[in-house]
Amino acid sequence: MTSIRPFQAMDIFKFNSTNLDPLTETYDLSFYFTYLAKWPHLFNVAEGRDGTIDGYIMGKLESSPSYYQFSEHYLPWHAHITALTVAPHARRLGLASTLSRGLERAGDEYDAWFVDLFVRKSNTIAQTLYQKMGYSVYRRVLNYYNDDPTSPDPNAEEDAYDMRRPCRRDKERKHIREKGEDFTVYPEEVW
């Protein structure tokens, strides 16, 4: 039996096995604690019966700064999945979907336009999962990741897909698009 609960500071010592997946982005401690301080209600863990962290989601609510408002890349109020990962031993149990639904509900509660996330272009398993949950590619961010685990070149970079799922507020679906894979931007154009 797995329980979903808010992330606690001491969990930082328990999620190493979850973070060892090569497709999971790992951050420094201050990054995790910043999310815990700013968005504690959007940082949740799936805890196994034995106390292990089987998965977690780090989310936030944000928009581009007001000076960016007239840019074609302006992002209105939205929820963002910064990290979503499930330990290998706990995959295919629906934990990623359960954790995501919590953030999607928060997006609706806070009147967000959409929920978005970035996923490696090579991570087709995650893309398929997100597509099943109603996400679609909005744009491709060129060289977003400063490494490419699929390339023999140690200096290779990898593109990301910015995937989105509309929230209840976006009744006209203004913040999603067809064939987003063909719409490219650079990392400096992404807020």
Side-chain angles (χ1 to χ4, degrees), residues 10-28:
M10 296 304 284
D11 290 334
I12 209 84
F13 300 112
K14 296 195 271 182
F15 71 179
N16 279 346
S17 62
T18 305
N19 269 6
L20 291 177
D21 179 343
L23 293 174
T24 297
E25 297 300 315
T26 303
Y27 307 99
D28 62 48

Side-chain angles (χ1 to χ4, degrees), residues 3 26 58 65 77 81 97 126 154 161 173 191:
S3 302
T26 303
M58 295 171 59
W77 185 246
I81 297 175
S97 297
Y161 287 137
R173 303 301 190 242
W191 173 251

